[in-house]
Amino acid sequence: MSKAKAAKGKKRAQRATSNVFAMFDQAQIQEFKEAFNMIDQNHDGFIDKDDLHDMLASLGKNPTDQYLDQMMAEAPGPINFTMFLTMFGEKLNGTDPEDVIKNAFACFDDENKGFINEDRLRELLTTMGDRFTEEEVDEMYREAPIKGGNFDYIEFTRILKHGKKDD
């Protein structure tokens, strides 16, 4: 790590899904950018606990450390603009938290290994609850982590929430 990076003491923000900007139109993105810049009181490109405190104080609030810590804990890492936009996208679009998605898949993982046989999962998806069509399952499987005929739902959940790893 370079001396300049070490001096700042900032962690690199976790990459959010690349399609987060597709969730909103340009006017909405501009509004979110203005809101982000208002919250980022020290203008370092990241929202941290001090930024939240200062922003809330400017609104006449006196937040406790516990309250600020809870707010910061909602992000999986440092909050840059992409992460900020992703967090709003999740709230507005109602995606479930990572553990909820994993637990839903885990109900069908009898051996608790993080995998479900892909044929069994296809049957479950096309016959239970809000049924998928065969085409929808095919589309999901095109991007899904399937190893040796087994669907890796832990990795799939990670991809769903955070995007594919850079190759």
Side-chain angles (χ1 to χ4, degrees):
M1 177 155 46
S2 72
K3 288 181 183 177
K5 284 185 181 177
K8 282 187 174 181
K10 293 286 181 191
K11 295 180 207 166
R12 182 170 172 212
Q14 184 173 344
R15 281 210 178 176
T17 55
S18 60
N19 67 351
V20 66
F21 291 92
M23 292 177 167
F24 305 105
D25 63 38
Q26 280 304 115
Q28 289 172 310
I29 291 171
Q30 186 58 40
E31 287 180 28
F32 280 120
K33 187 67 176 171
E34 289 172 21
F36 178 86
N37 288 334
M38 288 173 70
I39 299 168
D40 182 18
Q41 298 278 307
N42 63 6
H43 304 292
D44 66 351
F46 293 88
I47 294 174
D48 59 24
K49 186 175 171 180
D50 291 335
D51 290 327
L52 283 177
H53 179 273
D54 293 349
M55 186 267 309
L56 290 168
S58 74
L59 298 171
K61 304 289 182 194
N62 188 17
T64 64
D65 272 351
Q66 180 183 1
Y67 179 75
L68 294 170
D69 288 338
Q70 287 173 335
M71 288 182 75
M72 292 303 297
E74 289 193 30
I79 306 171
N80 64 7
F81 180 64
T82 304
M83 180 60 69
F84 180 79
L85 200 59
T86 300
M87 291 170 70
F88 268 95
E90 288 175 351
K91 294 284 185 197
L92 295 173
N93 291 321
T95 58
D96 289 320
E98 206 163 328
D99 62 329
V100 172
I101 297 168
K102 280 185 202 170
N103 289 341
F105 282 117
C107 291
F108 304 104
D109 179 10
D110 298 331
E111 297 175 17
N112 200 27
K113 291 186 175 181
F115 296 93
I116 302 171
N117 177 277
E118 69 177 306
D119 294 330
R120 179 165 183 251
L121 181 59
R122 176 180 294 275
E123 180 184 338
L124 292 168
L125 290 172
T126 57
T127 61
M128 295 181 70
D130 292 333
R131 293 181 178 98
F132 280 51
T133 64
E134 290 289 335
E135 294 77 25
E136 289 170 330
V137 176
D138 290 341
E139 184 178 337
M140 183 180 98
Y141 278 6
R142 270 194 286 282
E143 298 295 320
I146 297 175
K147 302 167 189 153
N150 289 311
F151 175 83
D152 181 342
Y153 65 84
I154 293 173
E155 178 64 10
F156 181 75
T157 302
R158 193 201 62 72
I159 291 169
L160 194 62
K161 297 301 284 183
H162 305 289
K164 281 196 165 201
K165 288 181 182 173
D166 292 338
D167 293 324

PDB file of all heavy atoms in Angstrom, residues 7-41:
ATOM      1  N   ALA A   7      -1.720   6.916   4.684  1.00  0.00           N
ATOM      2  CA  ALA A   7      -1.945   8.136   5.456  1.00  0.00           C
ATOM      3  C   ALA A   7      -3.433   8.451   5.573  1.00  0.00           C
ATOM      4  O   ALA A   7      -3.882   8.940   6.590  1.00  0.00           O
ATOM      5  CB  ALA A   7      -1.209   9.309   4.807  1.00  0.00           C
ATOM      6  N   LYS A   8      -4.173   8.187   4.526  1.00  0.00           N
ATOM      7  CA  LYS A   8      -5.607   8.462   4.575  1.00  0.00           C
ATOM      8  C   LYS A   8      -6.320   7.515   5.527  1.00  0.00           C
ATOM      9  O   LYS A   8      -7.340   7.860   6.098  1.00  0.00           O
ATOM     10  CB  LYS A   8      -6.238   8.312   3.182  1.00  0.00           C
ATOM     11  CG  LYS A   8      -5.975   9.496   2.291  1.00  0.00           C
ATOM     12  CD  LYS A   8      -6.767   9.350   1.024  1.00  0.00           C
ATOM     13  CE  LYS A   8      -6.646  10.583   0.163  1.00  0.00           C
ATOM     14  NZ  LYS A   8      -7.414  10.497  -1.043  1.00  0.00           N
ATOM     15  N   GLY A   9      -5.818   6.280   5.647  1.00  0.00           N
ATOM     16  CA  GLY A   9      -6.428   5.326   6.561  1.00  0.00           C
ATOM     17  C   GLY A   9      -7.799   4.838   6.095  1.00  0.00           C
ATOM     18  O   GLY A   9      -8.578   4.347   6.879  1.00  0.00           O
ATOM     19  N   LYS A  10      -8.089   4.977   4.838  1.00  0.00           N
ATOM     20  CA  LYS A  10      -9.394   4.558   4.317  1.00  0.00           C
ATOM     21  C   LYS A  10      -9.268   3.183   3.684  1.00  0.00           C
ATOM     22  O   LYS A  10      -8.280   2.875   3.025  1.00  0.00           O
ATOM     23  CB  LYS A  10      -9.902   5.533   3.250  1.00  0.00           C
ATOM     24  CG  LYS A  10     -10.239   6.892   3.782  1.00  0.00           C
ATOM     25  CD  LYS A  10     -11.510   6.845   4.563  1.00  0.00           C
ATOM     26  CE  LYS A  10     -11.872   8.209   5.073  1.00  0.00           C
ATOM     27  NZ  LYS A  10     -12.922   8.181   6.024  1.00  0.00           N
ATOM     28  N   LYS A  11     -10.285   2.375   3.878  1.00  0.00           N
ATOM     29  CA  LYS A  11     -10.361   1.102   3.191  1.00  0.00           C
ATOM     30  C   LYS A  11     -10.990   1.347   1.834  1.00  0.00           C
ATOM     31  O   LYS A  11     -11.776   2.267   1.674  1.00  0.00           O
ATOM     32  CB  LYS A  11     -11.252   0.131   3.956  1.00  0.00           C
ATOM     33  CG  LYS A  11     -10.740  -0.254   5.297  1.00  0.00           C
ATOM     34  CD  LYS A  11     -11.728  -1.217   5.917  1.00  0.00           C
ATOM     35  CE  LYS A  11     -11.657  -1.152   7.414  1.00  0.00           C
ATOM     36  NZ  LYS A  11     -12.773  -1.790   8.042  1.00  0.00           N
ATOM     37  N   ARG A  12     -10.666   0.521   0.887  1.00  0.00           N
ATOM     38  CA  ARG A  12     -11.297   0.636  -0.415  1.00  0.00           C
ATOM     39  C   ARG A  12     -12.750   0.183  -0.276  1.00  0.00           C
ATOM     40  O   ARG A  12     -13.040  -0.825   0.354  1.00  0.00           O
ATOM     41  CB  ARG A  12     -10.583  -0.259  -1.412  1.00  0.00           C
ATOM     42  CG  ARG A  12     -11.181  -0.120  -2.774  1.00  0.00           C
ATOM     43  CD  ARG A  12     -10.339  -0.801  -3.795  1.00  0.00           C
ATOM     44  NE  ARG A  12     -11.113  -0.755  -5.019  1.00  0.00           N
ATOM     45  CZ  ARG A  12     -11.083  -1.658  -5.938  1.00  0.00           C
ATOM     46  NH1 ARG A  12     -10.273  -2.674  -5.819  1.00  0.00           N
ATOM     47  NH2 ARG A  12     -11.824  -1.560  -7.004  1.00  0.00           N
ATOM     48  N   ALA A  13     -13.643   0.916  -0.870  1.00  0.00           N
ATOM     49  CA  ALA A  13     -15.060   0.565  -0.784  1.00  0.00           C
ATOM     50  C   ALA A  13     -15.309  -0.738  -1.517  1.00  0.00           C
ATOM     51  O   ALA A  13     -14.727  -0.991  -2.567  1.00  0.00           O
ATOM     52  CB  ALA A  13     -15.920   1.670  -1.381  1.00  0.00           C
ATOM     53  N   GLN A  14     -16.150  -1.554  -0.933  1.00  0.00           N
ATOM     54  CA  GLN A  14     -16.514  -2.816  -1.561  1.00  0.00           C
ATOM     55  C   GLN A  14     -17.284  -2.519  -2.832  1.00  0.00           C
ATOM     56  O   GLN A  14     -18.097  -1.612  -2.894  1.00  0.00           O
ATOM     57  CB  GLN A  14     -17.397  -3.604  -0.594  1.00  0.00           C
ATOM     58  CG  GLN A  14     -17.762  -4.964  -1.108  1.00  0.00           C
ATOM     59  CD  GLN A  14     -18.492  -5.742  -0.035  1.00  0.00           C
ATOM     60  OE1 GLN A  14     -18.468  -5.399   1.135  1.00  0.00           O
ATOM     61  NE2 GLN A  14     -19.143  -6.798  -0.432  1.00  0.00           N
ATOM     62  N   ARG A  15     -17.013  -3.276  -3.873  1.00  0.00           N
ATOM     63  CA  ARG A  15     -17.711  -3.055  -5.124  1.00  0.00           C
ATOM     64  C   ARG A  15     -19.156  -3.463  -5.009  1.00  0.00           C
ATOM     65  O   ARG A  15     -19.474  -4.532  -4.519  1.00  0.00           O
ATOM     66  CB  ARG A  15     -17.076  -3.885  -6.227  1.00  0.00           C
ATOM     67  CG  ARG A  15     -15.851  -3.204  -6.693  1.00  0.00           C
ATOM     68  CD  ARG A  15     -15.599  -3.492  -8.101  1.00  0.00           C
ATOM     69  NE  ARG A  15     -14.415  -2.699  -8.346  1.00  0.00           N
ATOM     70  CZ  ARG A  15     -13.758  -2.659  -9.427  1.00  0.00           C
ATOM     71  NH1 ARG A  15     -14.145  -3.368 -10.435  1.00  0.00           N
ATOM     72  NH2 ARG A  15     -12.710  -1.910  -9.553  1.00  0.00           N
ATOM     73  N   ALA A  16     -19.994  -2.614  -5.482  1.00  0.00           N
ATOM     74  CA  ALA A  16     -21.419  -2.923  -5.515  1.00  0.00           C
ATOM     75  C   ALA A  16     -21.752  -3.439  -6.908  1.00  0.00           C
ATOM     76  O   ALA A  16     -20.919  -3.409  -7.802  1.00  0.00           O
ATOM     77  CB  ALA A  16     -22.222  -1.668  -5.212  1.00  0.00           C
ATOM     78  N   THR A  17     -22.963  -3.906  -7.089  1.00  0.00           N
ATOM     79  CA  THR A  17     -23.344  -4.437  -8.379  1.00  0.00           C
ATOM     80  C   THR A  17     -23.210  -3.369  -9.439  1.00  0.00           C
ATOM     81  O   THR A  17     -23.522  -2.206  -9.222  1.00  0.00           O
ATOM     82  CB  THR A  17     -24.796  -4.959  -8.353  1.00  0.00           C
ATOM     83  OG1 THR A  17     -25.635  -3.909  -7.901  1.00  0.00           O
ATOM     84  CG2 THR A  17     -24.929  -6.151  -7.450  1.00  0.00           C
ATOM     85  N   SER A  18     -22.733  -3.772 -10.624  1.00  0.00           N
ATOM     86  CA  SER A  18     -22.466  -2.809 -11.677  1.00  0.00           C
ATOM     87  C   SER A  18     -23.746  -2.214 -12.245  1.00  0.00           C
ATOM     88  O   SER A  18     -23.699  -1.167 -12.865  1.00  0.00           O
ATOM     89  CB  SER A  18     -21.652  -3.469 -12.792  1.00  0.00           C
ATOM     90  OG  SER A  18     -22.376  -4.560 -13.321  1.00  0.00           O
ATOM     91  N   ASN A  19     -24.889  -2.852 -12.061  1.00  0.00           N
ATOM     92  CA  ASN A  19     -26.123  -2.334 -12.629  1.00  0.00           C
ATOM     93  C   ASN A  19     -26.872  -1.423 -11.676  1.00  0.00           C
ATOM     94  O   ASN A  19     -28.014  -1.069 -11.932  1.00  0.00           O
ATOM     95  CB  ASN A  19     -27.019  -3.477 -13.100  1.00  0.00           C
ATOM     96  CG  ASN A  19     -27.530  -4.319 -11.957  1.00  0.00           C
ATOM     97  OD1 ASN A  19     -27.106  -4.167 -10.820  1.00  0.00           O
ATOM     98  ND2 ASN A  19     -28.439  -5.214 -12.253  1.00  0.00           N
ATOM     99  N   VAL A  20     -26.239  -1.006 -10.586  1.00  0.00           N
ATOM    100  CA  VAL A  20     -26.924  -0.149  -9.625  1.00  0.00           C
ATOM    101  C   VAL A  20     -27.366   1.156 -10.287  1.00  0.00           C
ATOM    102  O   VAL A  20     -28.435   1.675  -9.990  1.00  0.00           O
ATOM    103  CB  VAL A  20     -26.061   0.122  -8.371  1.00  0.00           C
ATOM    104  CG1 VAL A  20     -24.826   0.926  -8.697  1.00  0.00           C
ATOM    105  CG2 VAL A  20     -26.875   0.825  -7.307  1.00  0.00           C
ATOM    106  N   PHE A  21     -26.591   1.664 -11.240  1.00  0.00           N
ATOM    107  CA  PHE A  21     -26.954   2.910 -11.910  1.00  0.00           C
ATOM    108  C   PHE A  21     -28.137   2.715 -12.854  1.00  0.00           C
ATOM    109  O   PHE A  21     -28.809   3.678 -13.200  1.00  0.00           O
ATOM    110  CB  PHE A  21     -25.751   3.498 -12.641  1.00  0.00           C
ATOM    111  CG  PHE A  21     -24.698   4.015 -11.695  1.00  0.00           C
ATOM    112  CD1 PHE A  21     -23.658   3.210 -11.278  1.00  0.00           C
ATOM    113  CD2 PHE A  21     -24.773   5.306 -11.197  1.00  0.00           C
ATOM    114  CE1 PHE A  21     -22.702   3.683 -10.388  1.00  0.00           C
ATOM    115  CE2 PHE A  21     -23.826   5.787 -10.299  1.00  0.00           C
ATOM    116  CZ  PHE A  21     -22.792   4.970  -9.897  1.00  0.00           C
ATOM    117  N   ALA A  22     -28.403   1.484 -13.240  1.00  0.00           N
ATOM    118  CA  ALA A  22     -29.550   1.207 -14.113  1.00  0.00           C
ATOM    119  C   ALA A  22     -30.866   1.226 -13.345  1.00  0.00           C
ATOM    120  O   ALA A  22     -31.935   1.291 -13.940  1.00  0.00           O
ATOM    121  CB  ALA A  22     -29.366  -0.144 -14.805  1.00  0.00           C
ATOM    122  N   MET A  23     -30.796   1.189 -12.013  1.00  0.00           N
ATOM    123  CA  MET A  23     -32.014   1.194 -11.188  1.00  0.00           C
ATOM    124  C   MET A  23     -32.709   2.553 -11.211  1.00  0.00           C
ATOM    125  O   MET A  23     -33.878   2.649 -10.904  1.00  0.00           O
ATOM    126  CB  MET A  23     -31.680   0.886  -9.730  1.00  0.00           C
ATOM    127  CG  MET A  23     -31.207  -0.486  -9.436  1.00  0.00           C
ATOM    128  SD  MET A  23     -30.816  -0.483  -7.674  1.00  0.00           S
ATOM    129  CE  MET A  23     -30.651  -2.191  -7.358  1.00  0.00           C
ATOM    130  N   PHE A  24     -31.949   3.608 -11.500  1.00  0.00           N
ATOM    131  CA  PHE A  24     -32.459   4.966 -11.382  1.00  0.00           C
ATOM    132  C   PHE A  24     -32.247   5.723 -12.686  1.00  0.00           C
ATOM    133  O   PHE A  24     -31.316   5.434 -13.436  1.00  0.00           O
ATOM    134  CB  PHE A  24     -31.728   5.711 -10.247  1.00  0.00           C
ATOM    135  CG  PHE A  24     -31.789   5.012  -8.923  1.00  0.00           C
ATOM    136  CD1 PHE A  24     -30.692   4.339  -8.415  1.00  0.00           C
ATOM    137  CD2 PHE A  24     -32.960   5.011  -8.181  1.00  0.00           C
ATOM    138  CE1 PHE A  24     -30.738   3.693  -7.186  1.00  0.00           C
ATOM    139  CE2 PHE A  24     -33.022   4.368  -6.953  1.00  0.00           C
ATOM    140  CZ  PHE A  24     -31.921   3.710  -6.462  1.00  0.00           C
ATOM    141  N   ASP A  25     -33.082   6.745 -12.921  1.00  0.00           N
ATOM    142  CA  ASP A  25     -32.839   7.591 -14.090  1.00  0.00           C
ATOM    143  C   ASP A  25     -31.816   8.664 -13.707  1.00  0.00           C
ATOM    144  O   ASP A  25     -31.452   8.815 -12.539  1.00  0.00           O
ATOM    145  CB  ASP A  25     -34.146   8.191 -14.630  1.00  0.00           C
ATOM    146  CG  ASP A  25     -34.857   9.115 -13.648  1.00  0.00           C
ATOM    147  OD1 ASP A  25     -34.173   9.866 -12.922  1.00  0.00           O
ATOM    148  OD2 ASP A  25     -36.105   9.094 -13.620  1.00  0.00           O
ATOM    149  N   GLN A  26     -31.353   9.401 -14.699  1.00  0.00           N
ATOM    150  CA  GLN A  26     -30.280  10.381 -14.473  1.00  0.00           C
ATOM    151  C   GLN A  26     -30.664  11.443 -13.444  1.00  0.00           C
ATOM    152  O   GLN A  26     -29.834  11.858 -12.639  1.00  0.00           O
ATOM    153  CB  GLN A  26     -29.878  11.046 -15.793  1.00  0.00           C
ATOM    154  CG  GLN A  26     -28.953  10.197 -16.648  1.00  0.00           C
ATOM    155  CD  GLN A  26     -27.700   9.774 -15.921  1.00  0.00           C
ATOM    156  OE1 GLN A  26     -27.482   8.602 -15.674  1.00  0.00           O
ATOM    157  NE2 GLN A  26     -26.866  10.717 -15.513  1.00  0.00           N
ATOM    158  N   ALA A  27     -31.921  11.895 -13.464  1.00  0.00           N
ATOM    159  CA  ALA A  27     -32.356  12.919 -12.509  1.00  0.00           C
ATOM    160  C   ALA A  27     -32.290  12.378 -11.081  1.00  0.00           C
ATOM    161  O   ALA A  27     -31.850  13.080 -10.161  1.00  0.00           O
ATOM    162  CB  ALA A  27     -33.776  13.382 -12.839  1.00  0.00           C
ATOM    163  N   GLN A  28     -32.695  11.120 -10.886  1.00  0.00           N
ATOM    164  CA  GLN A  28     -32.639  10.521  -9.555  1.00  0.00           C
ATOM    165  C   GLN A  28     -31.189  10.378  -9.093  1.00  0.00           C
ATOM    166  O   GLN A  28     -30.867  10.669  -7.939  1.00  0.00           O
ATOM    167  CB  GLN A  28     -33.308   9.145  -9.554  1.00  0.00           C
ATOM    168  CG  GLN A  28     -34.810   9.192  -9.704  1.00  0.00           C
ATOM    169  CD  GLN A  28     -35.382   7.799  -9.896  1.00  0.00           C
ATOM    170  OE1 GLN A  28     -34.909   7.029 -10.731  1.00  0.00           O
ATOM    171  NE2 GLN A  28     -36.417   7.489  -9.125  1.00  0.00           N
ATOM    172  N   ILE A  29     -30.320   9.934 -10.001  1.00  0.00           N
ATOM    173  CA  ILE A  29     -28.904   9.764  -9.653  1.00  0.00           C
ATOM    174  C   ILE A  29     -28.316  11.108  -9.244  1.00  0.00           C
ATOM    175  O   ILE A  29     -27.574  11.205  -8.263  1.00  0.00           O
ATOM    176  CB  ILE A  29     -28.117   9.124 -10.817  1.00  0.00           C
ATOM    177  CG1 ILE A  29     -28.568   7.665 -10.989  1.00  0.00           C
ATOM    178  CG2 ILE A  29     -26.612   9.207 -10.570  1.00  0.00           C
ATOM    179  CD1 ILE A  29     -28.025   6.980 -12.224  1.00  0.00           C
ATOM    180  N   GLN A  30     -28.677  12.170  -9.961  1.00  0.00           N
ATOM    181  CA  GLN A  30     -28.180  13.499  -9.618  1.00  0.00           C
ATOM    182  C   GLN A  30     -28.666  13.927  -8.231  1.00  0.00           C
ATOM    183  O   GLN A  30     -27.903  14.493  -7.443  1.00  0.00           O
ATOM    184  CB  GLN A  30     -28.607  14.519 -10.680  1.00  0.00           C
ATOM    185  CG  GLN A  30     -28.010  15.898 -10.467  1.00  0.00           C
ATOM    186  CD  GLN A  30     -26.490  15.896 -10.443  1.00  0.00           C
ATOM    187  OE1 GLN A  30     -25.841  15.191 -11.212  1.00  0.00           O
ATOM    188  NE2 GLN A  30     -25.905  16.665  -9.534  1.00  0.00           N
ATOM    189  N   GLU A  31     -29.926  13.621  -7.915  1.00  0.00           N
ATOM    190  CA  GLU A  31     -30.445  13.956  -6.580  1.00  0.00           C
ATOM    191  C   GLU A  31     -29.714  13.178  -5.495  1.00  0.00           C
ATOM    192  O   GLU A  31     -29.383  13.733  -4.436  1.00  0.00           O
ATOM    193  CB  GLU A  31     -31.948  13.687  -6.520  1.00  0.00           C
ATOM    194  CG  GLU A  31     -32.766  14.704  -7.294  1.00  0.00           C
ATOM    195  CD  GLU A  31     -34.259  14.438  -7.227  1.00  0.00           C
ATOM    196  OE1 GLU A  31     -34.727  13.849  -6.233  1.00  0.00           O
ATOM    197  OE2 GLU A  31     -34.962  14.825  -8.171  1.00  0.00           O
ATOM    198  N   PHE A  32     -29.460  11.890  -5.748  1.00  0.00           N
ATOM    199  CA  PHE A  32     -28.713  11.086  -4.772  1.00  0.00           C
ATOM    200  C   PHE A  32     -27.292  11.635  -4.610  1.00  0.00           C
ATOM    201  O   PHE A  32     -26.752  11.658  -3.503  1.00  0.00           O
ATOM    202  CB  PHE A  32     -28.666   9.615  -5.186  1.00  0.00           C
ATOM    203  CG  PHE A  32     -29.923   8.854  -4.864  1.00  0.00           C
ATOM    204  CD1 PHE A  32     -30.657   8.254  -5.876  1.00  0.00           C
ATOM    205  CD2 PHE A  32     -30.367   8.719  -3.563  1.00  0.00           C
ATOM    206  CE1 PHE A  32     -31.816   7.542  -5.580  1.00  0.00           C
ATOM    207  CE2 PHE A  32     -31.521   8.008  -3.256  1.00  0.00           C
ATOM    208  CZ  PHE A  32     -32.243   7.422  -4.272  1.00  0.00           C
ATOM    209  N   LYS A  33     -26.679  12.083  -5.714  1.00  0.00           N
ATOM    210  CA  LYS A  33     -25.328  12.633  -5.648  1.00  0.00           C
ATOM    211  C   LYS A  33     -25.316  13.905  -4.801  1.00  0.00           C
ATOM    212  O   LYS A  33     -24.410  14.107  -3.982  1.00  0.00           O
ATOM    213  CB  LYS A  33     -24.812  12.926  -7.069  1.00  0.00           C
ATOM    214  CG  LYS A  33     -23.363  13.353  -7.117  1.00  0.00           C
ATOM    215  CD  LYS A  33     -22.440  12.231  -6.716  1.00  0.00           C
ATOM    216  CE  LYS A  33     -20.990  12.636  -6.870  1.00  0.00           C
ATOM    217  NZ  LYS A  33     -20.077  11.656  -6.299  1.00  0.00           N
ATOM    218  N   GLU A  34     -26.328  14.756  -4.972  1.00  0.00           N
ATOM    219  CA  GLU A  34     -26.419  15.968  -4.159  1.00  0.00           C
ATOM    220  C   GLU A  34     -26.597  15.614  -2.681  1.00  0.00           C
ATOM    221  O   GLU A  34     -25.963  16.222  -1.812  1.00  0.00           O
ATOM    222  CB  GLU A  34     -27.568  16.847  -4.649  1.00  0.00           C
ATOM    223  CG  GLU A  34     -27.284  17.497  -5.989  1.00  0.00           C
ATOM    224  CD  GLU A  34     -28.487  18.217  -6.580  1.00  0.00           C
ATOM    225  OE1 GLU A  34     -29.417  18.574  -5.818  1.00  0.00           O
ATOM    226  OE2 GLU A  34     -28.501  18.406  -7.803  1.00  0.00           O
ATOM    227  N   ALA A  35     -27.440  14.632  -2.392  1.00  0.00           N
ATOM    228  CA  ALA A  35     -27.648  14.203  -1.003  1.00  0.00           C
ATOM    229  C   ALA A  35     -26.348  13.628  -0.430  1.00  0.00           C
ATOM    230  O   ALA A  35     -25.964  13.941   0.706  1.00  0.00           O
ATOM    231  CB  ALA A  35     -28.763  13.158  -0.932  1.00  0.00           C
ATOM    232  N   PHE A  36     -25.658  12.797  -1.221  1.00  0.00           N
ATOM    233  CA  PHE A  36     -24.394  12.215  -0.777  1.00  0.00           C
ATOM    234  C   PHE A  36     -23.401  13.327  -0.428  1.00  0.00           C
ATOM    235  O   PHE A  36     -22.752  13.290   0.625  1.00  0.00           O
ATOM    236  CB  PHE A  36     -23.814  11.306  -1.869  1.00  0.00           C
ATOM    237  CG  PHE A  36     -22.488  10.691  -1.510  1.00  0.00           C
ATOM    238  CD1 PHE A  36     -22.434   9.510  -0.796  1.00  0.00           C
ATOM    239  CD2 PHE A  36     -21.294  11.302  -1.880  1.00  0.00           C
ATOM    240  CE1 PHE A  36     -21.211   8.937  -0.452  1.00  0.00           C
ATOM    241  CE2 PHE A  36     -20.079  10.750  -1.539  1.00  0.00           C
ATOM    242  CZ  PHE A  36     -20.033   9.564  -0.832  1.00  0.00           C
ATOM    243  N   ASN A  37     -23.299  14.332  -1.306  1.00  0.00           N
ATOM    244  CA  ASN A  37     -22.348  15.419  -1.072  1.00  0.00           C
ATOM    245  C   ASN A  37     -22.709  16.238   0.165  1.00  0.00           C
ATOM    246  O   ASN A  37     -21.818  16.759   0.847  1.00  0.00           O
ATOM    247  CB  ASN A  37     -22.240  16.313  -2.305  1.00  0.00           C
ATOM    248  CG  ASN A  37     -21.507  15.618  -3.439  1.00  0.00           C
ATOM    249  OD1 ASN A  37     -20.694  14.727  -3.216  1.00  0.00           O
ATOM    250  ND2 ASN A  37     -21.815  16.009  -4.654  1.00  0.00           N
ATOM    251  N   MET A  38     -23.995  16.351   0.461  1.00  0.00           N
ATOM    252  CA  MET A  38     -24.411  17.071   1.675  1.00  0.00           C
ATOM    253  C   MET A  38     -24.040  16.280   2.929  1.00  0.00           C
ATOM    254  O   MET A  38     -23.668  16.855   3.953  1.00  0.00           O
ATOM    255  CB  MET A  38     -25.918  17.331   1.642  1.00  0.00           C
ATOM    256  CG  MET A  38     -26.313  18.389   0.630  1.00  0.00           C
ATOM    257  SD  MET A  38     -28.092  18.540   0.449  1.00  0.00           S
ATOM    258  CE  MET A  38     -28.522  19.274   2.014  1.00  0.00           C
ATOM    259  N   ILE A  39     -24.136  14.963   2.857  1.00  0.00           N
ATOM    260  CA  ILE A  39     -23.806  14.123   4.010  1.00  0.00           C
ATOM    261  C   ILE A  39     -22.299  14.005   4.187  1.00  0.00           C
ATOM    262  O   ILE A  39     -21.793  13.991   5.307  1.00  0.00           O
ATOM    263  CB  ILE A  39     -24.457  12.724   3.870  1.00  0.00           C
ATOM    264  CG1 ILE A  39     -25.980  12.850   3.815  1.00  0.00           C
ATOM    265  CG2 ILE A  39     -24.031  11.811   5.021  1.00  0.00           C
ATOM    266  CD1 ILE A  39     -26.695  11.574   3.401  1.00  0.00           C
ATOM    267  N   ASP A  40     -21.557  13.937   3.074  1.00  0.00           N
ATOM    268  CA  ASP A  40     -20.091  13.822   3.113  1.00  0.00           C
ATOM    269  C   ASP A  40     -19.505  15.181   3.500  1.00  0.00           C
ATOM    270  O   ASP A  40     -18.966  15.910   2.678  1.00  0.00           O
ATOM    271  CB  ASP A  40     -19.574  13.354   1.751  1.00  0.00           C
ATOM    272  CG  ASP A  40     -18.069  13.169   1.712  1.00  0.00           C
ATOM    273  OD1 ASP A  40     -17.444  13.074   2.791  1.00  0.00           O
ATOM    274  OD2 ASP A  40     -17.513  13.134   0.586  1.00  0.00           O
ATOM    275  N   GLN A  41     -19.607  15.505   4.779  1.00  0.00           N
ATOM    276  CA  GLN A  41     -19.243  16.828   5.290  1.00  0.00           C
ATOM    277  C   GLN A  41     -17.772  17.196   5.058  1.00  0.00           C
ATOM    278  O   GLN A  41     -17.459  18.347   4.812  1.00  0.00           O
ATOM    279  CB  GLN A  41     -19.559  16.907   6.785  1.00  0.00           C
ATOM    280  CG  GLN A  41     -21.033  16.734   7.116  1.00  0.00           C
ATOM    281  CD  GLN A  41     -21.826  18.005   6.940  1.00  0.00           C
ATOM    282  OE1 GLN A  41     -21.480  19.038   7.470  1.00  0.00           O
ATOM    283  NE2 GLN A  41     -22.911  17.926   6.178  1.00  0.00           N
TER     284      GLN A  41
END
